[in-house]
Amino acid sequence: MPPVKDVAPSSLLWARKWKGLMKALIDSKYLGNFVSRTTRGSRVVVVSNREPCLHERTAGGIEMIRPASGLVTALEPIVRATHGIWVAHGSGSADRYVTDEKGRITVTPEDPQYTLRRVWMTKKEENGYYYSISNRALWPLCHIAYTRPFFSRDDWEIYKIVNRRFCEAILDEVRGEPAVVFIQDYHLALLPRMLRNERPDLKLVHFWHIPWPNREAFRIFPWGEELLDGLLGNDILGFHIQYHCNNFMGTVDRGIEAMVDYEHFRIHRGGHPTYIRAFPISVDFRQIGRDAGSPKVAENRQRFIRELGEEVLQTKLYVGVDRLDYTKGIAERIQGFDIMLKRHPELVGKATLLQLAAPSRTHLEEYRAVSDEIDQRVDEINWHHQTDGWTPIRFLRAHHDYYSVLAAYGMADVLMVTSLHDGMNLVAKEFISARTDDDGILLLSRYTGASRELPDALLVNPFDVDEVADAMHDAFHMTEKERKGRMRRLRRKVRRNTIFDWGLKIFEELETVLPVEEQA
Ligand code: ADQ
């Protein structure tokens, strides 16, 4: 039988083109307008631990800093279009000096679009709520990267106090009015139930950005029932992929008293339904593509070349861009590189691993341990393989700005994402969006949410460092035709599901499960 070609009738091609054009319009404005239409008559409140802009004391006075974040890109259009409220932890050193007595500031003061309400906490509270329960208990529990979670009853009490403080700030902002509250992540798991108890009429949507583990892994969490009850205060609870939704359903089914409805992916607790849904997060594909060609990226590329030496570009460049976190599999990627060089000595001097690693959660001993382990491995491997004029691993420990990250993506022959487990992984999607030249290879861990959407990457099990080495070697020899074919298909996938589609799907689902009553 002859091969079946993907030939569509011309009307269908036109329909696809038209859809593509329309999609180009589904940008921040479209999302903002959609949300303001579907939430009419209600206040819109976004809640997250991290704030979209912070104020820092500097030598010259006070400076407003807007951290580059994919999440801010998606959530700001929503609060802007609805003149909404963003509630977050006020963590900047000068945050208190620029807010009113309730912790409020208009963003931006010159061009008021939304209100940022800052929630304050003491050092002790930040330690208990953020570093301990969020990042030493829930983070390792949900990732199952074989780092033992740490549980402290005192810190759990603090986690509750801080969640309560967020609840009070939100109630104070919405007063008696109807509102849609869009909560982010694992720092605020108890907040939905607290809000529901005070205001049963609120519409509550929560997005969990990290994986949800299976019930066997979850059952060691000492306050599991309280945590699940907290999350079941929501109307919609979103995860990146269906697998995490399935895990959550299974955890509740065996964990607490609730009616788990697999037909509708819905859980009833105390008579109230929570819909469990998958919304794969993404990036601003078009904007990243535009920025990748900007003069700032070209400047950063030159800076890298000056710092690393021209010779680096004559070798095949394997690039990693990560927070320095034990879930990201940086040590495994380094081991894979070492094995490749040992098995294929002909590649000595012909391949370089460039790792950009942003220090993260450095107060925690698990993070210091992984950082030390990586330093040691880099040292050993460089000592073992290096020659005059070639260093196999270039390790740049720093937070790089957006334009240098884009420059690194542009220089990469192979972008390495070897997370041991990851809710989604935005680095993979940023890399694809930046490669407007349709070139470059993505080597991607099977245990990222992104791998479900991106089968044209070279998929690996990062726990199997031999497999990582083999995939790195395959990438070295991949033909231009195959590289470009794969990249074109990867780009099509990300173009079809951007960060704005993510926001849109969440609010479309809210409209489906809780339609706005027809206005008289
Ligand atoms: P993270 O664990 O932070 O996010 P990821 O999705 O990869 O992981 O996002 C990292 C972001 O930091 C990217 O935007 C990247 O460009 C940036 N970054 C990484 N290293 C950097 C460096 N050295 N310098 C500067 N910037 C750097 C959590 C979950 C993920 C999920 C996201 C979004 O763990 O699984 O994809 O939330 O939901």
Side-chain angles (χ1 to χ4, degrees), residues 111-179:
D111 175 21
Q113 294 180 327
Y114 67 91
T115 302
L116 171 62
R117 164 89 179 235
R118 287 171 168 154
V119 172
W120 309 119
M121 53 189 95
T122 62
K123 267 268 152 306
K124 187 169 175 223
E125 287 169 343
E126 191 179 351
N127 271 329
Y129 144 87
Y130 180 76
Y131 285 105
S132 178
I133 297 298
S134 299
N135 289 322
R136 288 192 79 195
L138 288 169
W139 180 268
L141 182 87
C142 290
H143 279 90
I144 326 179
Y146 304 97
T147 294
R148 186 178 170 144
F150 168 82
F151 304 124
S152 148
R153 191 181 288 178
D154 289 347
D155 293 334
W156 178 245
E157 291 307 315
I158 295 176
Y159 184 84
K160 287 197 244 181
I161 291 170
V162 173
N163 271 246
R164 167 70 53 198
R165 195 164 304 147
F166 272 88
C167 173
E168 279 157 11
I170 294 161
L171 294 175
D172 185 44
E173 288 297 330
V174 300
R175 282 169 238 123
E177 294 170 48

Side-chain angles (χ1 to χ4, degrees), residues 277-295:
R277 294 288 184 268
F279 303 107
I281 205 167
S282 192
V283 294
D284 189 348
F285 177 83
R286 277 169 273 277
Q287 189 61 45
I288 292 176
R290 281 193 292 271
D291 292 340
S294 70

Side-chain angles (χ1 to χ4, degrees), residues 17 47 110 160 228 233 304 362 365 399 476 487 510:
K17 258 196 183 149
V47 196
E110 309 77 49
K160 287 197 244 181
L228 294 175
F304 274 132
T362 46
E365 65 190 55
H399 181 89
F476 192 95
M487 182 50 85
L510 182 65

Side-chain angles (χ1 to χ4, degrees), residues 85-100:
I85 304 148
W86 192 319
V87 181
H89 171 209
S91 58
S93 57
D95 274 0
R96 285 175 195 264
Y97 301 116
V98 294
T99 51
D100 69 11

Side-chain angles (χ1 to χ4, degrees), residues 315-320 333 337 340 347 350-355 392 394 411-416 441 443 468-469 471-477:
T315 68
K316 197 69 90 184
L317 197 58
Y318 294 77
V319 173
R333 142 185 355 162
F337 189 62
M340 175 176 79
L347 300 189
K350 294 192 180 138
T352 306
L353 174 58
L354 168 65
Q355 177 67 52
R394 312 301 294 266
M411 289 163 68
D413 291 298
V414 184
L415 194 276
M416 308 269 302
I441 299 168
L443 192 153
V468 174
M472 290 176 95
H473 184 248
D474 290 349
F476 192 95
H477 292 290

